[in-house]
Amino acid sequence: MSFELPPLEELLAHSHVVRLPMRVKFRGVIQREALLIEGPEGWGEFSAFTEYGAAEAARWLAAGIEAAYQPFPEPLRTSIPVNATLPAVAAKDVGAVLERYDAPHTIKIKVAEQGQGLDEDLARVAETRRLYPQAALRVDANMGWDITQAVPALKALSEYDLQYAEQPVPGITGLAEVREQLRNAGNPLKIAADEAVRKHTDPLEVSRLGAADLMVIKTQPLGGISAVLDIAKHAELDVVVSSALDTSVGLAQAAALASALPALPYACGLSTGTLFAEDVCAEPMLATAGYLPVRRIEPDHQKLESLRPEEAHVGWWRQRLESCYAELARE
């Protein structure tokens, strides 16, 4: 970390645990829990997914502390172009989900969902293209395929004029193999690395091995704005700032990161606030005509109370904060 850790007792005293209901299932989640931290510079979010251990989740805590205790960088832009996100819904439900977004110009479509097949992916993408013929489309498999599945699937999906495909298979070497096979087949579809960046001890290996054409970077999993700006500086790849299914507090930090990048060639994945039925503030971070404002978020204290889960979950998050804090203190 590039700053001194505040006392643990101070973090615990100014933390609030919330549970946000979602409109549709996303990554298997129908309720999203987060621990929010109030600090001298504003609010930060710690919302590592529950299956992550302390060593991995500690980077998420570092990002939350940074947001609460450090000023955001000077912005180079006041609004951020963002994509709509379409979960792995049936083709008949595509229109209803995307209607919640205000004039999307870019749409990220989830594919390779467990229990579904390529026919369902093709139908979902085809329906999206039919409804939004001028939109930039991208697909995200979240490592759902192996190499033998990914290559033919991406060839078939490429017929719908995709901007890029995000993390079709696990790992860095897997991405490199998929990308090479597509190129050998004359397919120019760009490959984006997500999990291969945020789950790897060396995020820059993606660039060194030529495994991807661009990197998807997320503020919380990579340890905060300062850490991500350093990665982006040395990556020598275009980057896309994306959400880790954050509340509006986390989305504000991610938008601040995107605002500070020297170049922003792709729409960012920061319009996921639309997936929540409730959020922590009166004016959530929602896009207008496909653009998200760059601003700090002030949670509504009545919402913090109404969205507070049962005490067992509050206690679990506070214990998790303590264990992740111990990891950071050892660094």
Side-chain angles (χ1 to χ4, degrees), residues 17 19 33 308-320:
V17 179
R19 176 189 290 157
E33 292 189 359
R308 182 183 174 95
E310 56 270 24
E311 288 305 311
H313 280 258
V314 173
W316 184 87
W317 275 99
R318 289 172 66 85
Q319 290 176 359
R320 193 182 200 198

Side-chain angles (χ1 to χ4, degrees), residues 54-268:
E56 185 172 1
R59 288 181 292 179
W60 298 60
L61 177 58
I65 296 172
E66 180 195 60
Y69 282 80
Q70 299 294 311
F72 284 165
E74 284 296 317
L76 301 178
R77 49 191 72 83
T78 59
S79 64
I80 307 300
V82 293
N83 65 253
T85 299
L86 179 65
V89 298
K92 65 180 179 62
D93 297 323
V94 166
V97 173
L98 291 178
E99 281 174 1
R100 300 187 186 120
Y101 295 90
D102 182 25
H105 48 72
T106 305
I107 302 169
K108 179 165 80 168
I109 306 165
K110 293 292 184 176
V111 294
E113 182 86 352
Q114 188 173 2
Q116 296 185 8
L118 179 58
D119 288 346
E120 290 159 289
D121 292 336
L122 289 167
R124 187 180 311 112
V125 174
E127 179 64 3
T128 307
R129 176 56 74 203
R130 185 186 73 80
L131 292 171
Y132 295 87
Q134 302 304 317
L137 302 187
R138 53 184 71 159
V139 296
D140 182 7
N142 288 118
M143 310 186 295
W145 291 313
D146 61 28
I147 294 172
T148 61
Q149 296 168 318
V151 174
L154 293 177
K155 287 179 179 177
L157 290 164
S158 294
E159 297 300 316
Y160 295 98
D161 187 23
L162 300 180
Q163 192 176 55
Y164 62 76
E166 185 174 326
Q167 200 70 48
V169 297
I172 295 174
T173 56
L175 281 185
E177 178 63 25
V178 168
R179 186 170 179 270
E180 182 179 5
Q181 287 195 30
L182 287 174
R183 296 298 178 272
N184 290 341
N187 189 310
L189 178 63
K190 292 183 177 180
I191 299 297
D194 177 9
E195 286 89 347
V197 174
R198 62 183 169 89
K199 285 182 168 290
H200 200 271
T201 54
D202 181 4
L204 296 177
E205 190 173 345
V206 167
S207 175
R208 287 197 299 272
L209 294 183
D213 300 281
L214 57 146
M215 296 171 62
V216 178
I217 51 179
K218 299 180 179 180
T219 319
Q220 282 200 76
L222 291 172
I225 291 176
S226 296
V228 176
L229 287 176
D230 187 63
I231 291 169
K233 178 181 178 180
H234 294 95
E236 298 182 351
L237 293 173
D238 288 334
V239 297
V240 179
V241 180
S242 188
S243 163
L245 204 55
D246 310 78
T247 76
S248 282
V249 171
L251 288 174
Q253 185 184 24
L257 163 64
S259 78
L261 287 167
L264 202 63
Y266 294 95
C268 295

